[in-house]
Amino acid sequence: RRLWEAVAALPAEDAAIVRWRYAEGLTVAACARRAEVTVAAMESRLRRIMERLRSALHRRWGREAAFAGLALLLVRGHA
């Protein structure tokens, strides 16, 4: 729940990208096509988004919650 609250607090386009990648399980290339950007641009954007999420989770709930939340996203995105 905390993780998706942090995702919902992101700008709408960033939140959509997180949902595409980690909730829907799209590849980075598929996300790039949806956003109409290059794969390299999407990889960069995902890195920045994940860093913002990590920081937001850390500030709000502490270091362990930040890492646990991001680990959950990564596991779901690669399942």
Side-chain angles (χ1 to χ4, degrees):
R1 190 178 108 236
R2 291 176 181 175
L3 174 62
W4 292 109
E5 287 173 8
V7 170
L10 292 170
E13 192 172 340
D14 290 349
I17 290 169
V18 171
R19 283 191 304 276
W20 297 341
R21 179 71 179 111
Y22 300 104
E24 296 179 28
L26 296 182
T27 65
V28 174
C31 292
R33 282 192 297 276
R34 276 197 184 177
E36 300 179 348
V37 299
T38 66
V39 171
M42 182 55 63
E43 289 170 337
S44 177
R45 187 155 188 187
L46 279 165
R47 277 192 299 276
R48 287 193 308 272
I49 292 168
M50 296 301 282
E51 179 55 31
R52 280 197 300 272
L53 276 175
R54 188 202 60 74
S55 293
L57 288 167
H58 184 265
R59 277 193 311 276
R60 182 102 190 245
W61 290 290
R63 181 176 158 185
E64 291 78 21
F67 288 113
L70 294 181
L72 179 61
L73 271 184
L74 293 173
V75 167
R76 286 184 178 175
H78 295 288

